[in-house]
Amino acid sequence: MPESAVALSWGLLVDDRPRSGFENMALDATLLRAAAAGHTFLRLYQWSPACLSFGRHEPALTRYDRDRIEEMGLDTVRRPTGGRAVWHNEEVTYALAAPANAFGSLPDSYAIIHAMIARALKRMDVRCGLAPAPRSRHPAPSAGACFASPAGGEVIANGRKLVGSAQTREGGAFLQHGSILLADGQDLVTTVTRGPAATPAATSLSALLGRPVEFPEVVTAIVREARDAWGSERTGAAVDPDPDLVARFSDPGWTWRR
Amino acid sequence: MSKIPPALQYTEEHEYVALDEADIVQIGITDYAQGELGDVVFVELPTIGDKFDRMHVFGTIEAVKAVSELFCPVAGEVVDINGALDKDPSLVNRDPYGNGWMIKLRVKRVDDLKELLSASDYAAHIGE
C-alpha cells in the first residue's frame, strides 16, 4: 500500500466556478471512467445552486419529503457513491478517482485519503483527527444526514464530523468524494426528513477557526499536501463530463428512483 | 483470518461459487470481502430470468461508506435471488456463505467452473 510520500502520476482539477449538482456528479463519474483507464485525478470544487445529494441506494422517496423539498426550491441529485444525504452549500468538495489498487484496499484507501486531508487541514491550524473504528457493528442507516455520525477513519474535530465522504468501486477503479464543511448547514437535512431523524453532529472550519474560511485557502492547503504526498501533478488534466452521465444525473427519474 | 471453505470456488473479485445441483450454483461474496466492505446496508440484485456473461456485473453492494460491483463468476441465468437481503442486508456480514447468499444461477457451460480459483488459490490471492 502506498505510504504518504509516493510519486504518483496524477491530474489536478480545481474548478474555476461552482457547478450544479448534476454537473458535479457527472464530472466525478467521468473521472471514475478515466480512472478505470489508469488515470488518477484530484478534483476540488463547489456547488451552485446549493444542492441536497442522496446516496446511491438511499430510499429518498420514503426517507425525505419530496413535496417539501420542491416547495423550498432545493436542487437535488443522487450520487454515484453510497452513504446518506448531504446538504452541499458552504463547503469544499474533494473527489479522488484512481485505479482500484492505487491506494490499496478499500479500507486502506479510505484511511490514506482522510489522513491526507487531515494533514492538509492541520496546515491551516485546524485541530482535527481521524475517528476511531467503531467497536460494535454499525446499525443499518436510519433516517438522518451523512453528518449525523462519523464512520471509522473519517476526519473529526471536537468529536464532531468535519469531512463526510463516500466511495464507489467499479470497472477496476474507485471514486471517493467528500464534503469539507466551511460552515455547518446540515440541519437542513433534518428539516426535510420524514419522521424522527438523528441530529447532525457536524462541525465546520469556520466554527473551529473562529473566522470565515473560503474555498481558495482550503484548496491551497490540500494541493500542497497532495504534492508533498505524490509529487507534482501532470499538466493538461482538463476533463469534460461525458454526455450520457450528464443525462443520468440530471434525470429526476435517477434522483428519485427509490 | 477469513473463513475460506475448502469445498467452494472463488473469483479474484471475491465472489464465491457453491455447487448446489448439477448445473445450479449459489453465488455470494466471501468472508474476506464482507470484512473489507464493512457493514452492508443494501444489496441490489438482478431479477429471476436475467442472463449474465462471465464476470459481468450482476448487482451492486453498498456498505456504510462504499458501493461496489458484484461480478458473475460464470455465465448463466438467474434462477433464484435471496429476497431476505432486502430486509436484512447484514446477513452478508453475519453469514456470507449461508443465509447471506445472493443469487442462484443455472450455469451455461459447466466447464467454466474449472476456471475458478480453489480455496488455496483464493487464500494466496488475499494473502492468507
Side-chain angles (χ1 to χ4, degrees), chain A residues 166-255:
Chain A
Q167 189 178 121
T168 188
R169 292 185 163 240
E170 60 183 68
F174 78 87
L175 163 69
Q176 180 169 318
H177 53 195
S179 301
I180 304 165
L181 297 184
L182 297 175
D184 179 19
Q186 296 304 312
D187 286 350
L188 183 126
V189 179
T190 308
T191 304
V192 298
T193 299
R194 296 178 190 273
T199 304
T203 189
S204 69
L205 294 177
S206 297
L208 291 166
L209 294 176
R211 61 175 175 83
V213 179
E214 303 291 340
F215 181 70
E217 181 181 358
V218 181
V219 167
T220 299
I222 292 176
V223 170
R224 282 183 179 165
E225 189 58 47
R227 286 172 178 158
D228 278 0
W230 309 327
S232 296
E233 69 274 17
R234 63 178 185 276
T235 55
V239 175
D240 291 321
D242 289 344
D244 65 311
L245 294 171
V246 172
R248 176 196 296 177
F249 290 105
S250 61
D251 179 3
W254 164 263
T255 302

Side-chain angles (χ1 to χ4, degrees), chain B residues 72-125:
Chain B
C72 202
V74 290
E77 178 179 348
V78 178
V79 295
D80 199 4
I81 61 169
N82 186 357
L85 297 183
D86 197 33
K87 287 190 174 174
D88 188 3
S90 69
L91 287 169
V92 175
N93 296 117
R94 298 202 305 273
D95 190 13
Y97 301 113
N99 292 326
W101 66 277
M102 293 177 178
I103 62 172
K104 294 191 179 185
L105 197 79
R106 185 180 305 283
V107 177
K108 189 174 177 182
R109 293 176 296 272
V110 176
D111 276 358
D112 285 356
L113 296 170
K114 295 176 184 170
E115 296 182 24
L116 297 169
L117 300 178
S118 66
S120 58
D121 289 341
Y122 181 69
H125 173 60

Side-chain angles (χ1 to χ4, degrees), chain A residues 127-149:
Chain A
R127 298 182 66 175
C128 61
L130 302 183
R135 291 185 181 180
S136 59
R137 295 213 76 83
H138 201 290
S142 56
C146 167
F147 280 87
S149 58

Side-chain angles (χ1 to χ4, degrees), chain B residues 23-46:
Chain B
D23 62 345
I24 307 285
V25 293
Q26 174 179 306
I27 293 167
I29 64 166
T30 64
D31 185 45
Y32 173 83
Q34 69 78 22
E36 288 286 289
L37 279 169
D39 301 326
V40 175
V41 297
F42 187 80
V43 183
E44 186 175 47
L45 296 177

